[in-house]
Amino acid sequence: MTQGAILLPLVSVIVVNYRGAEDTITCLRALTSDLDYSRLEVICVDNASGGDDAARIKAAVPDVQLIESAENLGFAGGCNLGARHAQGSVLAFLNNDARPDANWARAAVAALAADPTVAAVASKVVDWEGTGVDFVDAGLTWFGMGYKRHAGSPLADVPAAEHESAKDVLFATGSAMFVRAGVFAELDGFDERFFMFYEDVDLGWRLNLRGWRVRYVPESLAYHRHHATMSEVDAPETGRETFLLERNALAALYKNVSDETLAKVLPAALALAIRRATARGELDATQLDLGHGVKPVETAPVEIPRTTLAGMLAVDQFVELLPSLAESRKAEQAARVRTDADLIPLLRKALEPAYPLPRYLAAHEILVEAFGIESVFGQRRKILVITGDAITERMAGPAIRAWNIATILAPEHDVRLVTVNPLAAPPPAPFPVSAARKRDLTEPVEWADIVILQGHVLEMAPALKDSNKLVVCDIYDPMHLELLEQGKSAPDEQRAADLAGVTRVLDAQLERGDFFLCASQRQRHFWLGHLAALGRLTPRLYDADPTTQSLLAVVPFGLPAEPPARTGPGLRATLNIADTDHVVLWAGGVYSWFDPLTLVNAIDRLRRRQPDARLVFLGMKHPNPEVAEMDIGAQTMRLADRLGLTGKHVFFNEHWVPYGERQNWLLDADCGVTTHFEHVETTFAFRTRVLDYLWAGLPIVTTDGDAFADLVRDERLGVVVPAEDEEALSEALERAMYDTEFASACKERIAKVAERYTWPQALAPLVEYCRNPRPAADRLAGAADLVVADPLRGSEVVRRDLALVREYLADGGPKELARRVAGRLKKVARGRA
């Protein structure tokens, strides 16, 4: 099981033989004697060769498992037959006219073990002498023909970067490749309708579309006598190979491209296949065209070269396969998580004509132009952003965040913003914005390639839980921690039930998401703990990225990239506050987890020393009608009334200022403030609207305990005070508003820090994910354990059971032993039932 300190999986190598016993025996002997790999199962499938091939192979390499097929299943079917008999967690396919380097398997397995998102390894394949290229890279034309880049070139003439470095490829060559057995089974193996040729292209294409990677590993080296088997049973002049290549290219294209791509490329690909056929056979395509002159009547058969006939028949038989291919296409399109545009880099040169025939090249140019092929793989990714918050001129934090996510992504992708809140009267936007009820979410969810959601949205689109859509969960708001404070006034049993319900909502997101957004490093630590407790931090996910940055990224709330500019009246004109008064602004809502009461009392102290001190609450009534009003707001207003401060030193703006006008109020303030109690919600909160203070360059006064307090303290952006300390808060406000030297220094530092929090900067991890989206490593279909322990046998079982007996007797004596034995017997009985 081990070589050194490395655990090795069982690798099942499958070699298909068809009338090539001599080559096959050479290959099998190399596998069993030359390969530096200890856990190997070698399977040879004889594809109804006839003659004495099977007997010769059995006699020459008796330790190899020989499977004799009753019919010739082709390379694809033979490989699948071998795979069904394989026991390994890794399958390897090696052509019978190939031989492996000693490190062939070890290098491939190392690549699979290092990255659980790699489904298959493409070996480096050279000619028998090791001087010529067979496979070092994969390419695909827009009309479906896969090809091996640099094939046939002297290895010395190929740039080292092209063949000496590992890289992602579209497909591995079936002549030497490895694939995870579970993934191969999930995809139903090679498509047996292909018989031979392009079955490897099709498999790699499908793997990539489902989010898996195919990795070229140059250290996994094999030597190949290219087409040695084919030359024994056929000749190029028959047209059979050409027929299979042409038909299978169309089949692979039809199965795997998107609906939008197929509508353009399939007609062009069919037309190009016909021109390729006529050009290949140098057929006079004008001989029946009366426009080229009326000639004597001829009814004799026209001789058609086999190379031309092959192309014609390939199109005919592609049509014959369409009913079954349509079913396969339906399955592949439903399972895909990557777009055609995502795979463009793996195609290498999609516009490569592939054949240097003059009439063919002319047709290629015509069709590329006529059908707009150059742009066909450039369709923009479709991204759906769903929020539960009201989208209006007056927006709260979740809606503001969703709005800016859509705004930043829209230049690169087709974006829709949907709210499940009944209140949707959005300002003008460069993307569609709409409201939807639960039953209305089906269409936009089906439309999208990626769904970005917040809050309770996943519960309103339950189909997403079991779908293969890529889901990004924005968990910047720890709702369950808020509810601990917000629900204090509810009956105990209701409070417990509400908390359990919100926790289930968050659990469902954490179990489903492919990528998560949180607002701070504190939150990241919190959510990593939650993910670990739920079992999401699996070895497979950890091995794919030990940092987990590709799973959970810090995406704080942002602020506009452009500085605020006045567009209308602000708080001074609206609330009749003098230009000479000093104003501290509370820029967000008033919620149960905040402490505005200490702030009002601090203003009461400050106004005795500074009579022109003013406190303004930007908005008291939440713009989302589904958010219940909290008693803390009423308490704050009553306290200000009782102290005689309302309308003199404390001002309440009842309705929220429209989001597009808030800068007018911010620009009228001298400093910004946020105060809160010391509790767990504070520890992990991210005070979203406080970022507006950075945007407007306002010195900040904040209570200690949250992520913003750390920022203000570390960057010296204002003053941090202890929770519920009226005197310290009063003195901090006085310093921020009246100490001009201190305030000026704060503003200089704020300007630099604010650049880090602009929306383009804040959302950079999400932007990068959407450019190259993939399922989370533990959500890839067909993923399975790579290294599985061998079952205990014989004396090993006895030694294990004796050790258990000693352990049970030491723990609790005969009674404990009897209890354990009874439990084992019940378990065995249940297993047999």
Side-chain angles (χ1 to χ4, degrees):
M1 183 133 183
T2 62
Q3 271 179 243
I6 301 173
L7 291 172
L8 295 177
L10 177 63
V11 174
S12 298
V13 185
I14 298 162
V15 178
V16 176
N17 175 72
Y18 183 70
R19 300 181 185 177
E22 185 174 342
D23 283 335
T24 300
I25 290 168
T26 300
C27 174
L28 295 175
R29 282 175 172 165
L31 283 168
T32 55
S33 61
D34 300 343
L35 204 60
D36 180 22
Y37 197 85
S38 59
R39 299 197 72 214
L40 201 68
E41 175 187 48
V42 181
I43 297 171
C44 178
V45 175
D46 183 66
N47 238 342
S49 297
D52 61 353
D53 273 38
R56 289 174 60 193
I57 293 168
K58 190 178 298 183
V61 277
D63 293 336
V64 169
Q65 182 183 169
L66 180 64
I67 301 168
E68 297 184 54
S69 175
E71 59 179 313
N72 183 3
L73 303 172
F75 181 78
C79 288
N80 287 350
L81 177 60
R84 290 194 290 271
H85 286 79
Q87 300 298 312
S89 60
V90 176
L91 304 176
F93 299 102
L94 187 65
N95 269 17
N96 73 316
D97 53 354
R99 60 182 169 87
D101 180 75
N103 197 42
W104 178 62
R106 177 187 284 275
V109 166
L112 292 171
D115 192 339
T117 67
V118 173
V121 167
S123 297
K124 178 179 182 177
V125 185
V126 294
D127 65 15
W128 202 251
E129 293 74 28
T131 59
V133 172
D134 188 307
F135 182 91
V136 296
D137 196 8
L140 183 78
T141 66
W142 62 266
F143 46 91
M145 285 197 163
Y147 62 99
K148 298 186 286 188
R149 299 184 70 229
H150 308 296
S153 301
L155 191 61
D157 292 348
V158 178
E162 287 287 295
H163 68 90
E164 292 183 357
S165 301
K167 58 191 170 187
D168 285 357
V169 292
L170 183 67
F171 61 88
T173 173
S175 63
M177 64 173 287
F178 295 77
V179 62
R180 296 177 189 270
V183 183
F184 191 76
E186 175 72 19
L187 271 66
D188 295 324
F190 291 121
D191 190 329
E192 297 186 17
R193 290 167 299 194
F194 285 46
F195 196 77
M196 63 189 301
F197 302 129
Y198 290 168
E199 72 290 316
D200 48 5
V201 177
D202 173 67
L203 179 69
W205 200 342
R206 290 187 287 138
L207 286 170
N208 274 286
L209 286 176
R210 296 184 187 214
W212 286 100
R213 294 163 60 206
V214 181
R215 191 78 172 158
Y216 167 73
V217 177
E219 295 79 12
S220 177
L221 178 64
Y223 302 85
H224 185 210
R225 279 198 286 257
H226 187 54
H227 278 11
T229 299
M230 193 70 179
S231 65
E232 291 292 323
V233 299
D234 199 18
E237 296 78 15
T238 67
R240 291 170 177 169
E241 180 177 336
T242 301
F243 166 80
L244 290 171
L245 292 170
E246 293 283 355
R247 185 198 63 181
N248 293 351
L250 290 170
L253 182 74
Y254 177 76
K255 284 171 59 178
N256 294 314
V257 295
S258 67
D259 290 345
E260 297 90 344
T261 302
L262 187 69
K264 283 193 173 183
V265 300
L266 184 58
L270 289 167
L272 191 61
I274 299 301
R275 173 57 70 90
R276 199 160 44 243
T278 61
R280 192 185 292 117
E282 298 182 350
L283 193 68
D284 179 6
T286 68
Q287 59 186 292
L288 303 181
D289 186 354
L290 290 177
H292 281 72
V294 178
K295 300 176 182 179
V297 174
E298 293 185 32
T299 58
V302 177
E303 184 175 330
I304 298 178
R306 281 180 169 270
T307 51
T308 295
L309 182 63
M312 307 292 189
L313 296 182
V315 173
D316 179 90
Q317 289 305 293
F318 164 67
V319 174
E320 193 73 16
L321 286 177
L322 273 176
S324 66
L325 287 174
E327 291 300 314
S328 300
R329 172 176 174 76
K330 183 178 180 181
E332 296 307 322
Q333 297 306 309
R336 68 185 296 163
V337 297
R338 309 206 74 204
T339 67
D340 294 337
D342 291 335
L343 303 192
I344 286 178
L346 299 181
L347 307 188
R348 306 306 191 219
K349 294 182 179 179
L351 294 177
E352 173 67 48
Y355 292 90
L357 305 170
R359 287 190 66 252
Y360 166 76
L361 292 175
H364 183 274
E365 185 175 338
I366 290 168
L367 291 167
V368 166
E369 175 68 23
F371 285 88
I373 301 299
E374 284 195 37
S375 62
V376 78
F377 286 97
Q379 285 100 353
R380 288 150 60 94
R381 189 170 288 107
K382 298 186 283 288
I383 298 179
L384 175 65
V385 182
I386 316 179
T387 181
D389 219 13
I391 299 179
T392 65
E393 296 283 355
R394 294 175 169 84
M395 289 187 281
I400 293 170
R401 187 170 168 92
W403 183 273
N404 281 282
I405 286 172
T407 300
I408 295 298
L409 294 177
E412 291 187 39
H413 312 284
D414 289 337
V415 176
R416 293 186 190 177
L417 175 59
V418 172
T419 177
V420 293
N421 192 286
L423 189 55
F431 44 81
V433 184
S434 62
R437 291 169 292 184
K438 182 176 181 178
R439 67 186 183 191
D440 301 324
L441 286 175
T442 302
E443 186 277 328
V445 166
E446 289 182 352
W447 167 85
D449 298 315
I450 301 174
V451 178
I452 302 172
L453 54 83
Q454 299 175 330
H456 293 73
V457 167
L458 186 60
E459 304 307 307
M460 300 187 69
L464 272 177
K465 294 181 179 179
D466 300 318
S467 80
N468 62 334
K469 294 281 184 183
L470 295 177
V471 174
V472 178
C473 298
D474 186 8
I475 48 176
Y476 90 99
D477 181 9
M479 300 183 295
H480 48 346
L481 301 186
E482 288 183 354
L483 198 59
L484 287 170
E485 194 66 30
Q486 184 179 345
K488 278 184 173 180
S489 61
D492 288 348
E493 71 277 10
Q494 183 61 49
R495 189 179 177 200
D498 290 345
L499 181 63
V502 170
T503 303
R504 282 194 297 271
V505 168
L506 290 168
D507 285 350
Q509 291 185 44
L510 294 170
E511 288 169 346
R512 172 57 182 89
D514 293 292
F515 188 54
F516 298 95
L517 312 179
C518 65
S520 65
Q521 283 295 338
R522 284 193 185 195
Q523 281 195 8
R524 189 167 192 277
H525 297 157
F526 174 77
W527 290 119
L528 281 174
H530 205 148
L531 286 162
L534 286 174
R536 272 304 297 270
L537 293 188
T538 60
R540 189 174 300 129
L541 196 149
Y542 175 82
D543 289 347
D545 176 13
T547 72
T548 67
Q549 293 289 347
S550 60
L551 178 73
L552 174 60
V554 175
V555 175
F557 216 79
L559 50 87
E562 299 298 323
R566 187 177 296 280
T567 59
L571 62 85
R572 294 181 187 272
T574 303
L575 302 175
N576 197 26
I577 295 174
D579 291 342
T580 56
D581 290 344
H582 289 72
V583 177
V584 55
L585 179 65
W586 178 287
V590 179
Y591 308 131
S592 301
W593 45 90
F594 288 132
D595 179 19
L597 303 178
T598 298
L599 176 59
V600 170
N601 283 318
I603 289 294
D604 188 42
R605 289 175 180 245
L606 179 59
R607 56 107 175 183
R608 302 176 195 279
R609 303 191 299 273
Q610 302 288 354
D612 66 345
R614 307 287 185 261
L615 167 63
V616 174
F617 287 92
L618 189 69
M620 299 299 291
K621 186 176 178 62
H622 198 286
N624 184 352
E626 295 185 345
V627 174
E629 291 191 28
M630 302 178 196
D631 186 55
I632 189 67
Q635 290 181 48
T636 304
M637 296 175 78
R638 287 197 297 269
L639 176 61
D641 287 345
R642 182 166 55 82
L643 295 175
L645 302 176
T646 303
K648 299 176 183 177
H649 296 278
V650 178
F651 297 81
F652 299 98
N653 183 49
E654 182 179 355
H655 297 288
W656 282 34
V657 174
Y659 183 62
E661 299 174 15
R662 72 197 189 287
Q663 73 278 3
N664 299 320
W665 290 57
L666 289 161
L667 291 171
D668 274 353
D670 295 288
C671 86
V673 67
T674 178
T675 53
H676 41 255
F677 297 106
E678 187 177 358
H679 46 51
V680 69
E681 190 277 337
T682 293
T683 304
F684 297 105
F686 194 86
R687 308 301 181 198
T688 57
R689 296 302 287 268
V690 178
L691 276 169
D692 280 342
Y693 301 153
L694 296 181
W695 185 43
L698 299 179
I700 301 169
V701 175
T702 180
T703 306
D704 203 358
D706 68 357
F708 259 114
D710 292 342
L711 180 69
V712 171
R713 181 188 297 108
D714 295 344
E715 302 287 351
R716 295 180 299 151
L717 309 180
V719 186
V720 179
V721 299
E724 301 182 76
D725 189 329
E726 296 174 8
E727 185 57 34
L729 180 57
S730 172
E731 292 174 357
L733 293 171
E734 186 171 23
R735 187 181 185 194
M737 287 194 290
Y738 293 91
D739 185 336
T740 55
E741 183 177 347
F742 173 77
S744 178
C746 288
K747 290 179 180 180
E748 287 183 12
R749 292 186 287 269
I750 285 170
K752 296 178 181 178
V753 172
E755 294 176 2
R756 306 202 307 254
Y757 285 90
T758 62
W759 279 114
Q761 290 290 323
L763 290 170
L766 177 61
V767 170
E768 286 304 311
Y769 177 82
C770 290
R771 285 174 178 164
N772 188 29
R774 291 184 184 273
D778 60 341
R779 286 187 46 79
L780 286 162
D785 293 334
L786 193 65
V787 182
V788 181
D790 292 329
L792 298 178
R793 293 184 174 86
S795 60
E796 294 174 326
V797 176
V798 174
R799 283 195 296 271
R800 180 204 61 189
D801 288 348
L802 286 174
L804 288 173
V805 167
R806 287 193 293 270
E807 179 185 336
Y808 297 155
L809 288 172
D811 287 348
K815 287 186 177 180
E816 177 66 12
L817 177 61
R819 187 180 72 82
R820 295 281 190 162
V821 170
R824 174 79 71 86
L825 292 173
K826 288 180 181 178
K827 186 176 180 179
V828 171
R830 283 196 299 270
R832 291 176 177 173

